[in-house]
Amino acid sequence: MRARDVNSGGAKSDDDGYAALAAGIAAGERPALARAITLIESTRADHRARAEALLAEVMGRTGHSLRLGVSGVPGVGKSTFIEAFGLMLTGQGHRVAVLAVDPSSRRTGGSILGDKTRMEELSRDPNAFIRPSPTGGSLGGVARRTREAMLLCEAAGFDVIIVETVGVGQSETAVADMVDLFLLLLLPSGGDELQGIKKGIVELADLVVVNKADGELAPAASRAAAEYQSALRMLRPLSEAWQVPVLRCSSLEKRGMTEIWEAALRFRDLLGPQGLAEKRGGQARAWMWSAVEDSLATAFRRHPAVAARLPELEAKVAAGEVPATLAAEELLRLFRKG
Amino acid sequence: MRARDVNSGGAKSDDDGYAALAAGIAAGERPALARAITLIESTRADHRARAEALLAEVMGRTGHSLRLGVSGVPGVGKSTFIEAFGLMLTGQGHRVAVLAVDPSSRRTGGSILGDKTRMEELSRDPNAFIRPSPTGGSLGGVARRTREAMLLCEAAGFDVIIVETVGVGQSETAVADMVDLFLLLLLPSGGDELQGIKKGIVELADLVVVNKADGELAPAASRAAAEYQSALRMLRPLSEAWQVPVLRCSSLEKRGMTEIWEAALRFRDLLGPQGLAEKRGGQARAWMWSAVEDSLATAFRRHPAVAARLPELEAKVAAGEVPATLAAEELLRLFRKG
């Protein structure tokens, strides 16, 4: 049953009124949650209208969770970590929702979390809810749907939301912009694997965890953790109230999980209710404006006169033949005319 | 005379036709360059029209310089460094233009470079041109005018453009987005001063230089350089063709300057003509789009119905009472109506 709940949304969502879904979510029913997420993922206009009504309905029940982003290059063991970490949390009585931001994901799998076998035990846990990344579309669209899914999960009473990202490209920034705490998973290989990580990602991390600190890799993990710690001390403002901790864990042997959770709670306590509200408020405002700007930019690009002139002009700008501001002003004139 | 050239623009710009300015710039005349920059800094519509014509006129002569960004916290000695570095370059026969991005600068001083005494020797050098930061306005506006000033300096035959930034806030990113190479100046204090530097700035650096490597600070500078080097090795992709070098210099004793210039040339050679063209092309495209988006966002914010609704809605979004996408969609509906 439960495994099916997760995927049953697609088939049923059309039958649900948003009020019924809101009631199911308020009751913490995972099938209703799954269908609601399918609804907000839909691009059909009538679905979108119901999705908006549903979000407005549940908004008062949102915000009561710790939002945790988890990133790391492929092979670092994100899914194994999230399963071990999630099971520790459900074992403590938490209700854990796992979402993902993976712009490369396709309905035909491809999404890390689409592959259920990756978190078999957690996906069978009645206090866990696992949802693959929304499929297709731009990173902005995927992030938007994940943010809305996060709100629905909170409304359904999940008090820990884990948002996984694939660890390549811009998705980390998108995830860091929607969570309270951004956790970066690293391999015990002393920096080599960072070649897969985009510039600036390490500096996004509020918490760094060296995974696979077990067996033969244990000594390497200790070395790597010490090296990362001193490197971060060097490159991070010493005056910052929060000095990014570098922890070790073994997802395989399920060790180090409570220490990571305690560090996350320390981080939240340091922020305080006021700081957390300000951080989330800033994220929400930025999210609103990026939605506005995306929509304006789309209308701009689709404007016939702009679309007709854009390719040649953009090429000339790139070639250094036309100053960027002149090109912008010409395009804006075309846009205003029509 | 020369010192006055720099400031004489304001008085004269109104008298110049853009063709006369273009000719003066082509002849490498600094007074014409100074007046042209004053013209592109003006917000008056008729000035703006002439500025656009002027930029279009000189565009063919731009691009033949090495564009170097210099950042570092107040007190690191940016001006002293730029003076020593610039004099070394003019001594080698280069023509050096120094611009600045400082959103806090005011015509009444406040701009680091506005204070001429800070670069007295360089400002007297016939092969140097020093221009304070454009005053007032948003960072975007200041950056736009500095980018255009950079193009004018190139058209006037300056082959090294140094863009200084104040080392706080977002101005570093704006500068990194307009130069070929971003140089970060640090103090020989082993990380402490990074508290003044925004997250991610260190990772923007293509070249790190520990300044004040002289006298009693020499040993500390060596230690700091070694520590920064290992920290950067740790946090920077090892696979990157360019491993950010950490050099030392003494601006006071004018030592280490040629090594820094050689490192900058190595970086440019590594990019190659194709890589440099791609980097600049990407910067110009991004610059064009940010100009478009700024203008669209301004029109949006000024739209009466939007402006009337925005404060309450944005507050509710920040408070988590209204989902960001719903607020965005409501505002967009208001905008499209009017």
Side-chain angles (χ1 to χ4, degrees), chain A residues 37-57:
Chain A
I37 293 176
T38 303
L39 180 64
I40 58 128
E41 287 180 353
S42 169
T43 51
R44 263 177 51 182
D46 59 325
H47 287 178
R48 191 64 210 149
R50 275 159 59 213
E52 290 191 19
L54 173 60
L55 283 167
E57 179 82 16

Side-chain angles (χ1 to χ4, degrees), chain B residues 76 102 132 225 247 277:
Chain B
V76 73
D102 177 5
L247 304 172

Side-chain angles (χ1 to χ4, degrees), chain A residues 84 146 197 216 244 258 262 317 331:
Chain A
T146 303
I197 296 184
E216 290 179 343
V244 177
T258 42
E262 283 158 9
V317 166
L331 292 171

Side-chain angles (χ1 to χ4, degrees), chain A residues 94-113:
Chain A
H94 293 286
R95 296 189 68 215
V96 179
V98 181
L99 307 172
V101 171
D102 176 4
S104 69
S105 90
R106 297 277 170 275
R107 184 65 70 198
T108 56
S111 165
I112 292 165
L113 290 173

